[in-house]
Structures are given as structure tokens and as C-alpha cells.
Amino acid sequence: MSVQPASLPDIRADVVVIGTGLIGATLAVALASAGVSVVAIDRLAPAAMTDMRFDGRTTAVAWGARRALSRIGVWETMAPHAEPILDIRISDGRLEPERVTAATSLLHLHFDHREAGEGPDRAPAMGYIVENRHMRLALFQRLAALPLAVLLAPATIARVERGEHGVETTLGDGRIVRAALVVSAEGRGGGGLRESAKIRVGGWSYGQMAIVCVARHERPHRGVAQEKFLPGGPFAILPMTNDETGAHRSSIVWSERTDLATAVLALDDGSFAREFAARFGDHLGVVAPVGPRFHYPLSLSQAERYVDRRLALVGDAAHAIHPIAGQGWNLGLRDIAALAEVVVDAKRLGLDIGGANTLARYESWRRVDNLALLAATDALNRLFSNDIPPLRALRDLGLAAVNEVAPLRRFFMRHAMGVVGDLPKLVRGEPL
Ligand SMILES: Cc1cc2nc3c(=O)[nH]c(=O)nc-3n(C[C@H](O)[C@H](O)[C@H](O)COP(=O)(O)OP(=O)(O)OC[C@H]3O[C@@H](n4cnc5c(N)ncnc54)[C@H](O)[C@@H]3O)c2cc1C
């Protein structure tokens, strides 16, 4: 039976969120958990976004972000699938083809979560590795349980009109969603809203691709995340929960120059496993890649503005960074925690939640933090993704120096844990 557009009821909400990836869905949950009505729209169905073949990545959920997820009622569902990150080991290495192995420098850097903070600041882990699929499942489950949230997915958007007094979003089926604010969580491609607001985006491609897959290994990882800086890019080994058979697993983010990555992805299983094992090493016993190989082109982008009339950009739609430090989603999480806070404050005070003052508060809050991390991840990737001898010497000495100085180690750890700076309430673990 076809439904005529005229017979479909219009919807009214405080906020309409376009895009229900890991950022848009989290924002919708945060708002609806705090008394703000929200309509969340995605062109894809939840079943497609939670399919095993859709997204093979894991996310390093920093300690601050985990506090926010607890506050909005999604962490409990994710927790059984979350592996604590207890230690991080960073080393510089190079491939030695004649031995088919990745030799690592003796100079390295080691972070131990027990050093990160004392007293109330003490966290049981620096963060957690969670499969994106399980994050999405937990977010959609929570969204479905919130009376103030409506999820329209799959749905297409025909038009968004942002007027002085409100936003009208016309869907492909003719329905109209009226709200005071529209949020673009449309990802790094930007969807249509960023362009329609004529917000320019700066950035560049890294000429690198991330190959993502799962490794099964003989010995347990003991909560240790490893990052080996190889000339083509970082090779990250991230601790995962054991699989249903009890096998030990790690998630791999293997960054490589695009031409090499394309060749690696085309290898047959045996050759791929050999290249893989050469980079992984034998510290966890016998290792093998399992399941599908995913790949993601790597780029940096930053929108010149995060806001326009009754419009806010969040997550990758506002800024996208290299996954070298596992911080892209964490930055987006801080965006949405800040945006949810200014919206909830405005609503409680009877102010316009999509008004220029509310949006200006959001933009000024988030700009500096995002720019700082953008610059830091870019510099790290440039410094480490090469084999230039003077740079190698410099970075190895840098790693060793930081490793020797406890306050410096603590400084970096607390940044990685997302507990530094002007934190929104949710990231401090407080209610909105
Ligand atoms: C290899 C790799 C590893 C990473 N690891 C980490 C990590 O460990 N830790 C970390 O913090 N970050 C990590 N990141 C970054 C993180 O994955 C991203 O920052 C995050 O997923 C961005 O989420 P998003 O919701 O903003 O965008 P997306 O995931 O791109 O979601 C956008 C959504 O919007 C929808 N959409 C777009 N346009 C429209 C439209 N017009 N109408 C309707 N729907 C629309 C899309 O269908 C999609 O569902 C990693 C990134 C990569 C590439």
C-alpha cells in the first residue's frame, strides 16, 4: 500500500538531528534524556548501520566520554563489549623486508593508567575499546526507549528551510518536521546542510588509507594498546574483549600509503596474513587476521564555522582528524556534550534554543579544543609517518624523554583520557 504524503502527520520537536552515526545518535540520546524533544533522521536504516559488514572499526572511548555515556544511559548496554585500556605502549619501527619483520626502536613510551590521577581523579582505565557495531546497537536501543525521541530512518530529506523563527525539514515522503534548531551530524562528507549554509571546509587528504581488521592471538593482551610508528603510517593494536569462543582478540588500525594499502588489500589471504604478522610481531604468540578487511581513506578537515542561522555542525561534519590518537569520535562527543548543555540551559531559562546567542556559546566553547587536537594529530602523523633519519632520531629521543618524566607522561595521559580543559557537564559525569 502506498501512503500519500498528505495523509502523513507533521511532527514538531525542539531539535532535529540529521545523521545518526555515532555522533548524531549520541546527541539525540543526550537531548531526549534531558527533557529536549528530538527527531533524528538518517538516510540509512538502523539494521543496515548495525550489520556486521557495515563498519569493522572499534572506538577508543576515552574515560571522560565513558562518563558521558553513563550519564545518558547507554554505557550499561555497551559495557559487556568494552575492553579496558590499562596501558599504552608507543614505539618507533621500520620494516626489515629481508627478515619480514617490523623492528622497533629500543626507545619507546609507556603509559600506565595507574599514574594518570589520584583520589577522585583515579580512573579504572584510560578508556575502553568498543566495537562500533555495539556502540550503535546500544544507542539505537536507548533511542527507542526514550519517549522524547523519534527516529526516522531510513528517510530522505527533500528540503530544509531555516527561517528567523524556526526550521522546517521536509522529508521525501512529504512530512514536515518543525523545530527550533537543526543539527548536522552528517559526517565528513558534510551531507547537504553545511553546503546549503555556504560553510567552507579546509583540509587535505593524507594520501594514506587505514586498513582495519581483527587479529586473533594466542596470548591475552592484558589491556595493553600498542602503537607502532612504521614509515607508511601507524600500526595500532587495540585490546578487544574475547570472542564468543574465548579467543583473544585485538582490533587493528593499519595506516599505509594509499597505493601500498590498495595493493595490501588485494593480497590473497596467505600473503595478507604474512604482511600482517610481520607488522604485528610475536609478543602475543601466534597471530592471524580474521574476518573481513575494511578500509578508510584518511583526511583532515575543519569547517570555517560550526554554526549558521538555526544550524549547528557536530562531529565529523565540523572537523575530521587522523585516527592516529583515536580521538575523532571523542572530540565529537565533547561537541555534543557542549551543545546539549547550551540547549538544555536555554530551554530551562525560556530562551530560544536555536537562537544566535545559544549557538555562539556552543561555537566558542568547542573551537579551541578541536583546533588543538587537529593540529596535534596532524603534527604527530607528519613526524612519524616517514623514514627520514634525522626525524627518526628526533622522535625517538622525544619518546624516550617523555617516558622518563612522570609529570609529562601524566599530562599526555590526561589529554588522551579527555579529562582536561573546559569540560561540559556530561564529560565531567554530571547531569545536564
Ligand atoms: C580507521 C578509523 C579509526 C577510528 N578510530 C577512532 C577511535 O578509536 N576513537 C575515536 O574517538 N575516533 C575514531 N575514529 C573517528 C570516528 O570514527 C569518527 O569521528 C566518528 O565515527 C564520526 O561520527 P559522525 O557521526 O560524526 O559521522 P558518520 O559516522 O559519518 O555518520 C554520519 C551519518 O549521517 C548520515 N547522513 C549523512 N548525510 C545525510 C543526509 N543528508 N540525510 C540523512 N542522513 C545523512 C549517514 O548515513 C551517517 O549515518 C576513527 C576513524 C577511522 C577512519
Side-chain angles (χ1 to χ4, degrees):
M1 187 187 84
S2 74
V3 182
Q4 295 306 309
S7 67
L8 293 166
D10 293 346
I11 309 175
R12 189 173 284 280
D14 292 319
V15 179
V16 55
V17 178
I18 302 191
T20 61
L22 289 179
I23 288 301
T26 312
L27 174 63
V29 168
L31 291 172
S33 304
V36 178
S37 59
V38 55
V39 172
I41 303 172
D42 205 292
R43 52 164 82 112
L44 301 175
M49 288 186 258
T50 53
D51 187 275
M52 297 287 263
R53 286 155 303 179
F54 180 70
D55 182 354
R57 290 171 298 180
T58 55
T59 294
V61 175
W63 174 246
R66 176 239 187 266
R67 289 197 294 218
L69 293 178
S70 294
R71 265 290 155 208
I72 63 172
V74 283
W75 180 252
E76 238 169 54
T77 317
M78 278 181 209
H81 309 285
E83 184 66 30
I85 306 169
L86 303 179
D87 286 26
I88 300 179
R89 290 191 192 149
I90 300 173
S91 55
D92 198 4
R94 60 150 61 94
L95 273 184
E96 297 191 349
E98 63 283 4
R99 288 169 53 209
V100 200
T101 180
T104 48
S105 160
L106 292 175
L107 304 174
H108 66 278
L109 177 54
H110 177 206
F111 295 121
D112 178 335
H113 78 286
R114 288 169 300 188
E115 280 193 340
E118 293 301 328
D121 271 359
R122 180 126 199 194
M126 275 182 264
Y128 297 81
I129 299 294
V130 191
E131 285 159 77
N132 285 9
R133 181 168 166 270
H134 284 297
M135 294 179 76
R136 292 179 202 277
L137 284 167
L139 286 163
F140 286 130
Q141 184 179 322
R142 177 82 175 124
L143 259 187
L146 286 167
L148 285 178
V150 173
L151 174 64
L152 303 176
T156 54
I157 293 167
R159 199 169 54 249
V160 179
E161 283 173 62
R162 295 178 290 113
E164 205 178 319
H165 302 292
V167 183
E168 275 193 10
T169 304
T170 306
L171 304 179
D173 62 14
R175 262 178 300 184
I176 295 177
V177 183
R178 294 192 172 81
L181 172 67
V182 59
V183 179
S184 166
E186 294 167 288
R188 56 178 84 194
L193 275 169
R194 200 172 64 191
E195 285 68 26
S196 72
K198 299 196 168 44
I199 299 177
R200 281 194 310 234
V201 184
W204 46 80
S205 160
Y206 281 110
Q208 286 173 322
M209 189 120 86
I211 301 167
V212 171
C213 63
V214 171
R216 198 175 280 168
H217 39 81
E218 198 180 7
R219 293 203 285 271
H221 47 57
R222 302 193 190 288
V224 179
Q226 300 230 10
E227 184 133 35
K228 298 181 181 191
F229 289 116
L230 298 175
F235 187 92
I237 305 173
L238 308 166
M240 293 174 80
T241 53
N242 288 349
D243 73 8
E244 58 288 350
T245 68
H248 307 304
R249 298 186 302 164
S250 293
S251 167
I252 305 303
V253 184
W254 169 1
S255 306
E256 198 62 84
R257 250 177 36 210
T258 303
D259 54 340
L260 287 176
T262 309
V264 167
L265 284 162
L267 290 174
D268 61 63
D269 287 348
S271 309
F272 181 75
R274 271 192 299 282
E275 288 294 330
F276 179 87
R279 286 159 179 83
F280 192 103
D282 57 6
H283 61 290
L284 295 179
V286 179
V287 62
V290 290
R293 308 167 197 169
F294 296 85
H295 59 279
Y296 303 86
L298 302 181
S299 61
L300 173 147
S301 64
Q302 163 81 345
E304 61 167 0
R305 290 178 283 124
Y306 294 170
V307 301
D308 198 68
R309 179 197 269 184
R310 297 199 174 275
L311 166 67
L313 309 183
V314 292
D316 278 16
H319 45 75
I321 61 175
H322 196 287
I324 194 164
Q327 290 291 331
W329 175 83
N330 286 283
L331 272 187
L333 185 279
R334 296 206 282 279
D335 291 349
I336 60 142
L339 183 62
E341 189 168 327
V342 300
V343 165
V344 167
D345 284 354
K347 184 165 168 125
R348 287 199 186 125
L349 293 170
L351 303 173
D352 183 355
I353 62 174
N357 290 341
T358 310
L359 295 181
R361 205 181 143 208
Y362 162 66
E363 162 133 53
S364 63
W365 197 347
R366 290 305 306 145
R367 197 101 193 146
V368 175
D369 185 26
N370 287 336
L371 272 174
L373 222 90
L374 206 97
T377 50
D378 188 57
L380 264 182
N381 188 52
R382 281 172 200 280
L383 183 62
F384 281 95
S385 296
N386 64 71
D387 206 10
I388 304 167
L391 275 183
R392 284 185 66 89
L394 186 73
R395 68 202 187 204
D396 285 358
L397 284 174
L399 286 182
V402 175
N403 200 47
E404 288 308 307
V405 185
L408 262 183
R409 287 201 304 273
R410 206 156 27 243
F411 170 86
F412 283 111
M413 262 189 280
R414 294 182 61 74
H415 272 84
M417 291 167 77
V419 292
V420 180
D422 184 8
L423 297 178
K425 282 183 188 167
L426 285 177
V427 182
R428 296 201 303 263
E430 295 167 18
L432 283 174

